Amino acid sequence: MSSIEIMVSDCTESDIIAEDVVNPNGLTVLVRGAVITDYIKKRLTEMGIEKVTVYNSMDNYDNFVNNTSYQDCKQQYKETVLLIKNIIDGLLRGEQLQYNGIVNAANKILGLKNDKRNVINYLNKIRSADEYTYTHCVDVAFYSMLIGAWLNLPDEEINEVIQAGLLHDIGKVKIPNKILNKKGKLTTEEFNIIKKHTILGHEILSKMDDISDGVKNAVIFHHERMDGTGYPFGMSATFIDLYSKIVAIADVFDAMTSDRVYRKRKTPFDVFEMFKTVGVRIFDSTILNTFIKKISPYYIGANVMLNNGERGRIVYIPPRDVLSPIIEIQSDYLDLSIQNNVEILSIGG
Ligand SMILES: [Fe+2]
C-alpha cells in the first residue's frame, strides 16, 4: 500500500492515516489506520498540524481492516488458544509442560509487533466468557507484547514477556475447577486457595532450566502490587521486576474488559479511569502511562453506546484527557469532558 503526504486542508473524509500523527508536545494524536473526519481535520488544524501522510489508492476502510495481516493475527490467536488448551490438558494428565510450543507461539506473536491496529481490533472483537481460562492467557500475551513494544524493549525481552503472559496463570491447573468457575462471591478461604496459583505456577516451571528467571518471576509475582498490597508476598515496588509489572497491567486490563460469567465487561475508558485513580498506587506509573497513552488513540473510530440510549462514534480522544473522548452523534459532537452526566456504556459493535 503506497502513501502520500498531503495538506490537512486537502484531506477528504475517509482518507486513512498511513503514519502516526504526533502533536507539537510529542503526544500521539492519531495512529496509522485512523480515518479522517471533518472533526479530526478541525482538531489537527487547531493544533497547528499542516500535513499528514495518508494511503492513496485505497477503495475503502474495509480493504484496510480485512487485509491479510488481520487474518494472520486472527489465525495466530486461534492457534495459540489451541496450544494453551493442549498444554493445560497435558499438565492435567500429569505430562511435562511443552515449553518449545510456548517459545514458538511467542515468536509468532512477536511477529505481529508492527501490526498493532489489527492486534487491538481483534482483541476488541473476541470478548467472550467461553473458554476464558485459555483466551485470557493469550490476550495477556498479546497485550504484554504491545506494552513491551511501546516500551521499546529489545525483541528478546518482548519475546520473554509474551511467554510470561502465556504462562502467568498456569498454576490454575492445580486449583479445583469448582472454585475457579464459581459464579458467586468467593469466601476468604476460597480466595486464599486461588492466590496459590502464583506459587503453584512457579513450582511447575521451577525445574525447567530453559525458562528464564524473568518469566518464572512474572508467574509468581504478577499479583504483587507497587504499594505492597498484592500477593503472595505483599512485596514492595523495588522488588517487583519488569516482566511482572507489565503482565500485571495486561492481566487487569484484559480481565476488566472481558465478559465473565458473573459480570459484564467494562469499557477501556472505565479501566483507564481506574488506572488513573487506584492504578497509580498499585501499578508501575511509567508503564501504566505508556500503556494508556499508546493504546487510547486506537479507539478513535469505534462505535459506542451511551447511557442516555444514544449511539455514536468516537471521533477524537484528547491525549491529555483520554477519559473525555469526543463522540459524534448524527451530525452533533458531544464532548464528554463537558457532559458530565453522559457516559460510554459499551464500545464496539
Ligand atoms: Fe493470576
Side-chain angles (χ1 to χ4, degrees):
M1 290 192 291
S2 56
S3 58
I4 180 171
E5 191 180 52
I6 58 170
M7 298 297 288
V8 169
S9 54
D10 292 338
C11 284
T12 51
E13 285 211 54
S14 80
D15 273 343
I16 297 171
I17 293 289
E19 279 174 24
D20 293 1
V21 179
V22 176
N23 74 10
N25 299 320
L27 295 167
T28 306
V29 289
L30 285 180
V31 280
R32 190 169 71 90
V35 184
I36 294 284
T37 57
D38 276 346
Y39 189 86
I40 283 177
K41 280 177 72 171
K42 197 175 119 230
R43 288 300 286 249
L44 292 176
T45 310
E46 282 167 8
M47 278 180 257
I49 296 169
E50 290 179 346
K51 289 177 177 175
V52 287
T53 306
V54 297
Y55 287 112
N56 53 21
S57 70
M58 185 77 65
D59 296 332
N60 55 45
Y61 186 65
D62 287 347
N63 279 3
F64 184 82
V65 278
N66 291 319
N67 54 19
T68 43
S69 78
Y70 182 80
Q71 298 306 325
D72 288 350
C73 176
K74 188 171 168 182
Q75 174 79 11
Q76 191 48 51
Y77 184 90
K78 290 188 167 173
E79 276 176 23
T80 318
V81 170
L82 220 61
L83 170 88
I84 293 294
K85 215 168 176 172
N86 284 333
I87 285 180
I88 290 177
D89 290 347
L91 286 172
L92 289 170
R93 287 193 300 266
E95 293 166 12
Q96 269 265 327
L97 184 133
Q98 310 157 33
Y99 178 57
N100 56 346
I102 294 287
V103 175
N104 285 340
N107 277 325
K108 289 187 189 161
I109 295 170
L110 179 62
L112 302 168
K113 189 179 81 168
N114 295 323
D115 203 8
K116 299 181 182 69
R117 176 169 293 274
N118 282 324
V119 170
I120 294 165
N121 279 353
Y122 188 67
L123 289 172
N124 288 339
K125 249 180 218 153
I126 37 100
R127 289 280 171 265
S128 145
D130 305 335
E131 312 223 299
Y132 178 78
T133 320
Y134 314 117
T135 55
H136 174 64
C137 300
V138 182
D139 293 354
V140 173
F142 274 65
Y143 282 120
S144 299
M145 177 273 281
L146 294 172
I147 299 172
W150 284 325
L151 292 172
N152 295 317
L153 299 185
D155 279 357
E156 309 81 72
E157 290 184 21
I158 304 179
N159 187 306
E160 289 192 350
V161 87
I162 298 169
Q163 294 179 30
L166 290 172
L167 294 169
H168 77 286
D169 272 350
I170 202 72
K172 287 193 176 168
V173 297
K174 307 250 180 195
I175 307 289
N177 266 333
K178 69 172 197 304
I179 301 180
L180 280 182
N181 300 329
K182 187 178 170 182
K183 287 184 184 159
K185 203 171 155 24
L186 293 169
T187 63
T188 312
E189 195 185 332
E190 286 166 337
F191 189 48
N192 285 337
I193 295 172
I194 295 236
K195 285 178 176 174
K196 288 190 181 148
H197 77 276
T198 49
I199 293 171
L200 294 168
H202 189 263
E203 259 172 41
I204 294 171
L205 309 183
S206 62
K207 291 193 194 77
M208 304 186 68
D209 296 338
D210 297 351
I211 306 180
S212 79
D213 286 344
V215 174
K216 289 174 182 169
N217 286 349
V219 173
I220 197 165
F221 299 143
H222 68 275
H223 288 285
E224 295 291 351
R225 296 294 181 252
M226 304 295 282
D227 60 355
T229 57
Y231 67 83
F233 304 120
M235 281 160 57
S236 61
T238 37
F239 298 102
I240 309 173
D241 59 357
L242 179 67
Y243 299 169
S244 307
K245 290 171 178 170
I246 295 175
V247 171
I249 293 170
D251 181 21
V252 170
F253 185 76
D254 185 64
M256 289 182 73
T257 54
S258 296
D259 280 327
R260 302 298 299 273
V261 273
Y262 49 85
R263 62 151 172 76
K264 282 285 287 170
R265 65 178 182 248
K266 294 191 180 301
T267 71
F269 298 96
D270 294 329
V271 187
F272 295 155
E273 192 172 1
M274 184 282 280
F275 277 166
K276 283 178 172 284
T277 51
V278 187
V280 289
R281 290 198 307 273
I282 60 177
F283 299 111
D284 180 282
S285 58
T286 308
I287 304 174
L288 193 69
N289 287 332
T290 302
F291 178 67
I292 298 171
K293 202 169 70 184
K294 294 290 190 181
I295 201 166
S296 53
Y298 287 95
Y299 298 109
I300 295 177
N303 294 320
V304 292
M305 163 78 102
L306 303 174
N307 61 344
N308 60 11
E310 288 188 297
R311 287 173 187 278
R313 185 167 57 119
I314 299 177
V315 287
Y316 186 67
I317 301 174
R320 283 197 192 283
D321 186 11
V322 297
L323 301 181
S324 305
I326 312 294
I327 317 282
E328 182 184 32
I329 301 168
Q330 280 143 14
S331 50
D332 270 348
Y333 296 108
L334 198 70
D335 183 341
L336 292 195
S337 67
I338 299 164
Q339 304 283 333
N340 288 328
N341 50 345
V342 183
E343 274 174 45
I344 297 173
L345 271 193
S346 65
I347 185 164

